[in-house]
Each structure stands twice: as structure tokens, then as C-alpha cells.
mmCIF file of all heavy atoms in Angstrom:
data_model
loop_
_atom_site.group_PDB
_atom_site.id
_atom_site.type_symbol
_atom_site.label_atom_id
_atom_site.label_comp_id
_atom_site.label_asym_id
_atom_site.label_seq_id
_atom_site.Cartn_x
_atom_site.Cartn_y
_atom_site.Cartn_z
ATOM 1 N N ARG F 1024 -9.548 25.982 11.144
ATOM 2 C CA ARG F 1024 -10.445 26.825 12.087
ATOM 3 C C ARG F 1024 -11.697 26.073 12.460
ATOM 4 O O ARG F 1024 -12.377 25.573 11.765
ATOM 5 C CB ARG F 1024 -10.580 28.146 11.487
ATOM 6 C CG ARG F 1024 -11.585 29.091 12.326
ATOM 7 C CD ARG F 1024 -11.727 30.382 11.605
ATOM 8 N NE ARG F 1024 -10.443 31.211 11.731
ATOM 9 C CZ ARG F 1024 -9.946 32.066 10.782
ATOM 10 N NH1 ARG F 1024 -10.706 32.093 9.705
ATOM 11 N NH2 ARG F 1024 -8.846 32.624 11.007
ATOM 12 N N GLN F 1025 -12.032 26.280 13.866
ATOM 13 C CA GLN F 1025 -13.295 25.597 14.251
ATOM 14 C C GLN F 1025 -14.316 26.864 14.398
ATOM 15 O O GLN F 1025 -13.983 28.008 14.691
ATOM 16 C CB GLN F 1025 -13.060 25.126 15.685
ATOM 17 C CG GLN F 1025 -12.059 23.959 15.813
ATOM 18 C CD GLN F 1025 -12.561 22.740 15.275
ATOM 19 O OE1 GLN F 1025 -13.721 22.392 15.158
ATOM 20 N NE2 GLN F 1025 -11.642 21.849 14.692
ATOM 21 N N VAL F 1026 -15.473 26.440 13.983
ATOM 22 C CA VAL F 1026 -16.473 27.455 13.923
ATOM 23 C C VAL F 1026 -17.806 26.888 14.735
ATOM 24 O O VAL F 1026 -18.139 25.636 14.517
ATOM 25 C CB VAL F 1026 -16.996 27.915 12.566
ATOM 26 C CG1 VAL F 1026 -18.138 28.951 12.679
ATOM 27 C CG2 VAL F 1026 -15.833 28.494 11.717
ATOM 28 N N VAL F 1027 -18.325 27.600 15.675
ATOM 29 C CA VAL F 1027 -19.346 27.037 16.616
ATOM 30 C C VAL F 1027 -20.546 28.078 16.498
ATOM 31 O O VAL F 1027 -20.261 29.349 16.638
ATOM 32 C CB VAL F 1027 -18.878 27.027 18.058
ATOM 33 C CG1 VAL F 1027 -19.918 26.440 18.972
ATOM 34 C CG2 VAL F 1027 -17.660 26.211 18.137
ATOM 35 N N ALA F 1028 -21.739 27.643 16.409
ATOM 36 C CA ALA F 1028 -22.928 28.351 16.497
ATOM 37 C C ALA F 1028 -23.660 27.964 17.718
ATOM 38 O O ALA F 1028 -23.848 26.741 17.984
ATOM 39 C CB ALA F 1028 -23.814 28.149 15.187
ATOM 40 N N VAL F 1029 -23.995 28.862 18.592
ATOM 41 C CA VAL F 1029 -24.736 28.756 19.824
ATOM 42 C C VAL F 1029 -26.149 29.168 19.759
ATOM 43 O O VAL F 1029 -26.328 30.391 19.599
ATOM 44 C CB VAL F 1029 -24.053 29.405 21.112
ATOM 45 C CG1 VAL F 1029 -24.738 28.906 22.390
ATOM 46 C CG2 VAL F 1029 -22.602 28.874 21.193
ATOM 47 N N ILE F 1030 -27.087 28.338 19.633
ATOM 48 C CA ILE F 1030 -28.503 28.784 19.442
ATOM 49 C C ILE F 1030 -29.404 28.093 20.422
ATOM 50 O O ILE F 1030 -29.223 27.002 20.869
ATOM 51 C CB ILE F 1030 -28.787 28.282 18.041
ATOM 52 C CG1 ILE F 1030 -30.240 28.835 17.696
ATOM 53 C CG2 ILE F 1030 -28.889 26.739 17.793
ATOM 54 C CD1 ILE F 1030 -30.774 28.676 16.277
ATOM 55 N N GLY F 1031 -30.451 28.907 20.998
ATOM 56 C CA GLY F 1031 -31.415 28.516 21.894
ATOM 57 C C GLY F 1031 -32.499 27.596 21.307
ATOM 58 O O GLY F 1031 -32.737 27.782 20.080
ATOM 59 N N ASP F 1032 -33.270 26.895 22.196
ATOM 60 C CA ASP F 1032 -34.328 26.147 21.518
ATOM 61 C C ASP F 1032 -35.343 26.957 21.126
ATOM 62 O O ASP F 1032 -36.114 26.654 20.144
ATOM 63 C CB ASP F 1032 -34.823 25.042 22.609
ATOM 64 C CG ASP F 1032 -35.377 25.762 23.906
ATOM 65 O OD1 ASP F 1032 -34.446 26.666 24.448
ATOM 66 O OD2 ASP F 1032 -36.393 25.488 24.431
ATOM 67 N N GLY F 1033 -35.565 28.100 21.678
ATOM 68 C CA GLY F 1033 -36.540 29.127 21.128
ATOM 69 C C GLY F 1033 -36.216 29.599 19.732
ATOM 70 O O GLY F 1033 -37.026 29.777 18.906
ATOM 71 N N SER F 1034 -34.853 29.928 19.640
ATOM 72 C CA SER F 1034 -34.548 30.570 18.246
ATOM 73 C C SER F 1034 -34.472 29.392 17.155
ATOM 74 O O SER F 1034 -34.659 29.617 16.077
ATOM 75 C CB SER F 1034 -33.049 31.131 18.347
ATOM 76 O OG SER F 1034 -33.072 32.199 19.227
ATOM 77 N N MET F 1035 -34.413 28.151 17.685
ATOM 78 C CA MET F 1035 -34.378 26.953 16.725
ATOM 79 C C MET F 1035 -35.786 26.857 15.942
ATOM 80 O O MET F 1035 -35.766 26.334 14.960
ATOM 81 C CB MET F 1035 -34.038 25.689 17.402
ATOM 82 C CG MET F 1035 -33.770 24.670 16.505
ATOM 83 S SD MET F 1035 -32.257 24.810 15.455
ATOM 84 C CE MET F 1035 -31.047 24.076 16.459
ATOM 85 N N THR F 1036 -36.824 27.567 16.519
ATOM 86 C CA THR F 1036 -38.104 27.454 15.949
ATOM 87 C C THR F 1036 -38.210 28.341 14.641
ATOM 88 O O THR F 1036 -39.164 28.259 13.840
ATOM 89 C CB THR F 1036 -39.269 27.913 16.842
ATOM 90 O OG1 THR F 1036 -39.077 29.240 17.249
ATOM 91 C CG2 THR F 1036 -39.294 26.941 18.119
ATOM 92 N N GLY F 1037 -37.167 29.185 14.485
ATOM 93 C CA GLY F 1037 -37.295 30.180 13.320
ATOM 94 C C GLY F 1037 -36.835 29.421 12.155
ATOM 95 O O GLY F 1037 -35.965 28.618 11.998
ATOM 96 N N GLY F 1038 -37.458 29.774 10.997
ATOM 97 C CA GLY F 1038 -37.300 29.183 9.733
ATOM 98 C C GLY F 1038 -35.814 29.347 9.270
ATOM 99 O O GLY F 1038 -35.363 28.365 8.598
ATOM 100 N N LEU F 1039 -35.142 30.512 9.624
ATOM 101 C CA LEU F 1039 -33.858 30.636 9.082
ATOM 102 C C LEU F 1039 -32.871 29.584 9.697
ATOM 103 O O LEU F 1039 -31.871 29.209 8.980
ATOM 104 C CB LEU F 1039 -33.268 32.060 9.419
ATOM 105 C CG LEU F 1039 -31.860 32.443 8.906
ATOM 106 C CD1 LEU F 1039 -31.910 32.380 7.388
ATOM 107 C CD2 LEU F 1039 -31.663 33.783 9.423
ATOM 108 N N ALA F 1040 -33.202 29.158 10.851
ATOM 109 C CA ALA F 1040 -32.376 28.101 11.568
ATOM 110 C C ALA F 1040 -32.374 26.855 10.791
ATOM 111 O O ALA F 1040 -31.369 26.222 10.656
ATOM 112 C CB ALA F 1040 -32.739 27.973 12.968
ATOM 113 N N PHE F 1041 -33.595 26.487 10.306
ATOM 114 C CA PHE F 1041 -33.755 25.302 9.556
ATOM 115 C C PHE F 1041 -33.159 25.386 8.226
ATOM 116 O O PHE F 1041 -32.608 24.383 7.593
ATOM 117 C CB PHE F 1041 -35.154 24.768 9.418
ATOM 118 C CG PHE F 1041 -35.811 24.228 10.705
ATOM 119 C CD1 PHE F 1041 -36.391 25.022 11.646
ATOM 120 C CD2 PHE F 1041 -35.622 22.891 11.048
ATOM 121 C CE1 PHE F 1041 -36.747 24.459 12.870
ATOM 122 C CE2 PHE F 1041 -36.094 22.366 12.173
ATOM 123 C CZ PHE F 1041 -36.687 23.070 13.061
ATOM 124 N N GLU F 1042 -33.276 26.606 7.529
ATOM 125 C CA GLU F 1042 -32.579 26.804 6.302
ATOM 126 C C GLU F 1042 -31.144 26.520 6.521
ATOM 127 O O GLU F 1042 -30.404 25.940 5.577
ATOM 128 C CB GLU F 1042 -32.892 28.171 5.761
ATOM 129 C CG GLU F 1042 -34.304 28.477 5.367
ATOM 130 C CD GLU F 1042 -34.602 29.880 5.080
ATOM 131 O OE1 GLU F 1042 -33.689 30.559 4.638
ATOM 132 O OE2 GLU F 1042 -35.771 30.233 5.186
ATOM 133 N N GLY F 1043 -30.530 27.019 7.491
ATOM 134 C CA GLY F 1043 -29.093 26.949 7.661
ATOM 135 C C GLY F 1043 -28.708 25.485 7.976
ATOM 136 O O GLY F 1043 -27.773 24.873 7.480
ATOM 137 N N LEU F 1044 -29.490 24.662 8.823
ATOM 138 C CA LEU F 1044 -29.158 23.411 9.062
ATOM 139 C C LEU F 1044 -29.361 22.473 7.718
ATOM 140 O O LEU F 1044 -28.414 21.625 7.531
ATOM 141 C CB LEU F 1044 -30.339 22.744 10.045
ATOM 142 C CG LEU F 1044 -30.091 23.164 11.478
ATOM 143 C CD1 LEU F 1044 -31.350 22.725 12.248
ATOM 144 C CD2 LEU F 1044 -28.866 22.552 12.073
ATOM 145 N N ASN F 1045 -30.228 22.764 7.021
ATOM 146 C CA ASN F 1045 -30.513 21.965 5.680
ATOM 147 C C ASN F 1045 -29.302 22.293 4.799
ATOM 148 O O ASN F 1045 -28.750 21.219 4.121
ATOM 149 C CB ASN F 1045 -31.832 22.624 5.046
ATOM 150 C CG ASN F 1045 -31.978 21.920 3.633
ATOM 151 O OD1 ASN F 1045 -32.216 20.646 3.606
ATOM 152 N ND2 ASN F 1045 -32.014 22.714 2.595
ATOM 153 N N ASN F 1046 -28.908 23.455 4.630
ATOM 154 C CA ASN F 1046 -27.765 23.800 3.753
ATOM 155 C C ASN F 1046 -26.405 23.120 4.276
ATOM 156 O O ASN F 1046 -25.533 22.535 3.539
ATOM 157 C CB ASN F 1046 -27.618 25.245 3.547
ATOM 158 C CG ASN F 1046 -26.556 25.748 2.390
ATOM 159 O OD1 ASN F 1046 -26.057 26.823 2.513
ATOM 160 N ND2 ASN F 1046 -26.342 24.772 1.556
ATOM 161 N N ALA F 1047 -26.220 23.463 5.627
ATOM 162 C CA ALA F 1047 -24.911 22.953 6.181
ATOM 163 C C ALA F 1047 -24.810 21.421 6.229
ATOM 164 O O ALA F 1047 -23.781 20.844 6.008
ATOM 165 C CB ALA F 1047 -24.813 23.513 7.621
ATOM 166 N N GLY F 1048 -25.994 20.855 6.446
ATOM 167 C CA GLY F 1048 -26.024 19.324 6.506
ATOM 168 C C GLY F 1048 -25.601 18.673 5.204
ATOM 169 O O GLY F 1048 -25.179 17.528 5.174
ATOM 170 N N ALA F 1049 -25.796 19.402 4.033
ATOM 171 C CA ALA F 1049 -25.386 18.810 2.762
ATOM 172 C C ALA F 1049 -23.967 18.991 2.433
ATOM 173 O O ALA F 1049 -23.501 18.446 1.471
ATOM 174 C CB ALA F 1049 -26.230 19.463 1.680
ATOM 175 N N SER F 1050 -23.140 19.773 3.201
ATOM 176 C CA SER F 1050 -21.729 19.965 3.169
ATOM 177 C C SER F 1050 -20.970 19.134 4.118
ATOM 178 O O SER F 1050 -20.570 19.526 5.203
ATOM 179 C CB SER F 1050 -21.480 21.439 3.340
ATOM 180 O OG SER F 1050 -20.068 21.630 2.961
ATOM 181 N N LYS F 1051 -20.815 17.794 3.846
ATOM 182 C CA LYS F 1051 -20.278 16.910 4.894
ATOM 183 C C LYS F 1051 -18.909 17.116 5.315
ATOM 184 O O LYS F 1051 -18.419 16.540 6.334
ATOM 185 C CB LYS F 1051 -20.541 15.491 4.336
ATOM 186 C CG LYS F 1051 -22.100 15.053 4.115
ATOM 187 C CD LYS F 1051 -22.058 13.602 3.672
ATOM 188 C CE LYS F 1051 -23.486 13.240 3.410
ATOM 189 N NZ LYS F 1051 -23.612 11.812 3.036
ATOM 190 N N GLN F 1052 -18.120 17.803 4.493
ATOM 191 C CA GLN F 1052 -16.668 17.998 4.868
ATOM 192 C C GLN F 1052 -16.454 19.311 5.624
ATOM 193 O O GLN F 1052 -15.262 19.568 6.087
ATOM 194 C CB GLN F 1052 -15.835 17.985 3.661
ATOM 195 C CG GLN F 1052 -15.990 16.705 2.786
ATOM 196 C CD GLN F 1052 -15.703 15.539 3.642
ATOM 197 O OE1 GLN F 1052 -14.744 15.407 4.404
ATOM 198 N NE2 GLN F 1052 -16.564 14.439 3.561
ATOM 199 N N THR F 1053 -17.434 20.138 5.666
ATOM 200 C CA THR F 1053 -17.350 21.405 6.382
ATOM 201 C C THR F 1053 -17.460 21.354 7.943
ATOM 202 O O THR F 1053 -18.484 20.813 8.356
ATOM 203 C CB THR F 1053 -18.346 22.437 5.926
ATOM 204 O OG1 THR F 1053 -18.232 22.542 4.347
ATOM 205 C CG2 THR F 1053 -18.080 23.854 6.380
ATOM 206 N N ASN F 1054 -16.428 21.691 8.658
ATOM 207 C CA ASN F 1054 -16.500 21.625 10.041
ATOM 208 C C ASN F 1054 -17.368 22.646 10.710
ATOM 209 O O ASN F 1054 -17.055 23.903 10.699
ATOM 210 C CB ASN F 1054 -14.960 21.816 10.650
ATOM 211 C CG ASN F 1054 -14.133 20.429 10.294
ATOM 212 O OD1 ASN F 1054 -14.736 19.428 10.168
ATOM 213 N ND2 ASN F 1054 -12.899 20.694 10.114
ATOM 214 N N LEU F 1055 -18.468 22.272 11.296
ATOM 215 C CA LEU F 1055 -19.308 23.268 11.926
ATOM 216 C C LEU F 1055 -19.957 22.464 13.119
ATOM 217 O O LEU F 1055 -20.462 21.395 13.025
ATOM 218 C CB LEU F 1055 -20.579 23.651 10.935
ATOM 219 C CG LEU F 1055 -21.650 24.494 11.504
ATOM 220 C CD1 LEU F 1055 -21.154 25.853 12.045
ATOM 221 C CD2 LEU F 1055 -22.766 24.742 10.618
ATOM 222 N N LEU F 1056 -19.891 23.201 14.220
ATOM 223 C CA LEU F 1056 -20.436 22.584 15.558
ATOM 224 C C LEU F 1056 -21.586 23.505 15.877
ATOM 225 O O LEU F 1056 -21.452 24.835 16.067
ATOM 226 C CB LEU F 1056 -19.562 22.510 16.648
ATOM 227 C CG LEU F 1056 -20.048 22.335 18.024
ATOM 228 C CD1 LEU F 1056 -20.762 20.904 18.096
ATOM 229 C CD2 LEU F 1056 -18.903 22.365 19.104
ATOM 230 N N VAL F 1057 -22.801 22.990 16.077
ATOM 231 C CA VAL F 1057 -24.010 23.652 16.393
ATOM 232 C C VAL F 1057 -24.222 23.288 17.876
ATOM 233 O O VAL F 1057 -24.391 22.025 18.174
ATOM 234 C CB VAL F 1057 -25.226 23.447 15.590
ATOM 235 C CG1 VAL F 1057 -26.422 24.088 16.126
ATOM 236 C CG2 VAL F 1057 -25.018 23.931 14.155
ATOM 237 N N ILE F 1058 -24.302 24.246 18.743
ATOM 238 C CA ILE F 1058 -24.729 23.860 20.212
ATOM 239 C C ILE F 1058 -26.149 24.399 20.420
ATOM 240 O O ILE F 1058 -26.361 25.559 20.252
ATOM 241 C CB ILE F 1058 -23.829 24.619 21.137
ATOM 242 C CG1 ILE F 1058 -22.346 23.973 21.068
ATOM 243 C CG2 ILE F 1058 -24.192 24.363 22.639
ATOM 244 C CD1 ILE F 1058 -21.350 24.484 21.913
ATOM 245 N N LEU F 1059 -27.035 23.356 20.744
ATOM 246 C CA LEU F 1059 -28.364 23.677 20.939
ATOM 247 C C LEU F 1059 -28.544 23.843 22.538
ATOM 248 O O LEU F 1059 -28.498 22.933 23.275
ATOM 249 C CB LEU F 1059 -29.247 22.604 20.432
ATOM 250 C CG LEU F 1059 -30.764 22.638 20.817
ATOM 251 C CD1 LEU F 1059 -31.419 24.010 20.368
ATOM 252 C CD2 LEU F 1059 -31.528 21.391 20.319
ATOM 253 N N ASN F 1060 -28.639 25.195 22.974
ATOM 254 C CA ASN F 1060 -28.722 25.430 24.309
ATOM 255 C C ASN F 1060 -30.252 25.392 24.698
ATOM 256 O O ASN F 1060 -30.931 26.432 24.515
ATOM 257 C CB ASN F 1060 -28.220 26.823 24.581
ATOM 258 C CG ASN F 1060 -28.252 27.295 26.081
ATOM 259 O OD1 ASN F 1060 -28.485 26.508 26.878
ATOM 260 N ND2 ASN F 1060 -28.060 28.553 26.355
ATOM 261 N N ASP F 1061 -30.618 24.337 25.335
ATOM 262 C CA ASP F 1061 -32.063 24.126 25.450
ATOM 263 C C ASP F 1061 -32.510 24.282 26.954
ATOM 264 O O ASP F 1061 -32.093 23.534 27.747
ATOM 265 C CB ASP F 1061 -32.279 22.513 25.039
ATOM 266 C CG ASP F 1061 -33.675 22.102 25.112
ATOM 267 O OD1 ASP F 1061 -34.573 22.891 25.532
ATOM 268 O OD2 ASP F 1061 -33.957 20.972 24.828
#
């Protein structure tokens, strides 16, 4: 299954967004696409 997160550049300033990036980036085999709608 493909999973996509669509997040705006304004929302990317929130700490929770970075917590998610930090955790997901450490899981190199998990398929996740983040779309930064800037």
C-alpha cells in the first residue's frame, strides 16, 4: 500500500511535522511519500 502525506509549507513549521520527519526518516524501508505543497 502507498501512503501519502500532503502538508503545506505553513504547517511544516509546526514541531509535530519535524517529529514525524525525524521518526519516519529513521525507518528506511517504510514506504512514505510526503508532498510539501509550498
Side-chain angles (χ1 to χ4, degrees):
R1024 171 174 291 145
Q1025 300 286 329
V1026 182
V1027 182
V1029 184
I1030 184 168
D1032 56 311
S1034 294
M1035 191 65 89
T1036 63
L1039 184 60
F1041 284 92
E1042 291 173 25
L1044 286 170
N1045 178 62
N1046 190 203
S1050 187
K1051 295 183 179 180
Q1052 302 306 315
T1053 304
N1054 288 329
L1055 172 66
L1056 171 60
V1057 174
I1058 295 180
L1059 174 56
N1060 182 15
D1061 184 358

